[in-house]
Amino acid sequence: MTNHKFLVVATSNPGKLKEMQVYLQDLGWELQLKPAELEIEETGETFIANACLKASEIAKATGEWSIADDSGLMVDALDGQPGIYSARYGSSDADRISRLLRELGSEQNRGAQFVCAIAIARPDGTIALQVEGICRGEILHSPRGTGGFGYDPIFYVPAQQQTFAEMTPDIKRLYSHRGQAFQSLLPQIDKIVK
Ligand code: ITT
């Protein structure tokens, strides 16, 4: 049964889960990971559409409130790719990073942005809340740092002079697309999830 501060997290990505856990546990939310056998096909054409799809399907399947994150990296010189296809760009983080660096080659325009859409669905699958966060930065020519996950080692934030993989979790939260999305979400969540 649903209690007041309980959410099923609709993700299979351990890096995302870890960050979401820190952001929500601070406020007393109890999180449960979605059952591994429930895999939702991401058929949407936007980050928000895919976040809503994942939250809604997992909420209906579990009968609980659910939260989902759909995110990715949009590279200016690649017309916004890989974007919503960021997870499907390769078969491992190392693979995805090397493909991106290969496709960018010696391109001078290294501008890029991370986008994160978060959706919360009610047990009947309807969407209660959706937010988006963005972080601008630059794609380095080679990876730097060992923290974080995914594309973090090649995403450099000039204001901090560090890649996401070189930042502490608190500093990454301050700048990151997911940190920004949660900054919009957290003040609203207690009013919505009953
Ligand atoms: P779920 O759908 O199960 O949540 P996923 O990894 O398939 O997991 P997405 O479809 O949203 O998730 O793909 C997000 C991609 O963008 C994936 O390759 C991530 O590694 C990458 N990504 C998202 N946020 C990131 C971050 O903060 N740092 C580095 N890479 C990130």
Side-chain angles (χ1 to χ4, degrees), residues 1 13 19 29-30 37 39 41-42 45 56 59 90 103 113 123-124 126 135 146 149-150 157 191 194:
M1 278 303 289
N13 183 317
E19 291 185 5
W29 286 89
E30 188 193 332
E37 67 275 14
E39 276 293 344
E41 206 193 336
E42 297 181 21
E45 289 182 358
S56 178
E103 305 228 343
Q113 62 190 29
D124 68 0
T126 55
C135 176
T146 54
F149 67 98
V157 179
K191 287 176 237 147
K194 293 269 189 295

Side-chain angles (χ1 to χ4, degrees), residues 55-56 59-60 63-66 120-129 192:
S56 178
K60 283 189 282 184
E64 301 283 357
W65 285 77
S66 172
I120 294 182
R122 303 182 186 90
D124 68 0
T126 55
I127 299 298
L129 190 61
I192 285 158

Side-chain angles (χ1 to χ4, degrees), residues 15-106:
K16 279 186 191 178
L17 177 68
K18 202 168 154 193
E19 291 185 5
M20 291 168 87
Q21 250 165 353
V22 172
Y23 303 167
L24 286 160
Q25 275 171 4
D26 280 359
L27 296 186
W29 286 89
E30 188 193 332
L31 301 185
Q32 184 182 293
L33 195 52
K34 77 169 174 71
E37 67 275 14
L38 289 179
E39 276 293 344
I40 312 302
E41 206 193 336
E42 297 181 21
T43 53
E45 289 182 358
T46 62
F47 293 107
I48 281 285
N50 282 330
C52 290
L53 193 68
K54 288 187 269 188
S56 178
E57 291 301 314
I58 296 299
K60 283 189 282 184
T62 58
E64 301 283 357
W65 285 77
S66 172
I67 185 167
D69 166 314
D70 200 66
S71 43
L73 183 57
M74 303 179 72
V75 179
D76 298 352
L78 301 178
D79 291 326
Q81 295 302 314
I84 60 167
Y85 304 105
S86 294
R88 293 164 264 183
Y89 209 50
S91 54
S92 65
D93 284 344
D95 234 46
R96 289 182 272 265
I97 286 179
S98 51
R99 176 168 172 198
L100 188 59
L101 293 180
R102 199 168 56 240
E103 305 228 343
L104 256 186
S106 55

Side-chain angles (χ1 to χ4, degrees), residues 11-13 16 42 54 71 149 151-152 172 177-178:
T11 186
S12 309
N13 183 317
K16 279 186 191 178
E42 297 181 21
K54 288 187 269 188
S71 43
F149 67 98
Y151 297 90
D152 280 351
K172 182 181 173 189
H177 49 315
R178 190 165 297 100

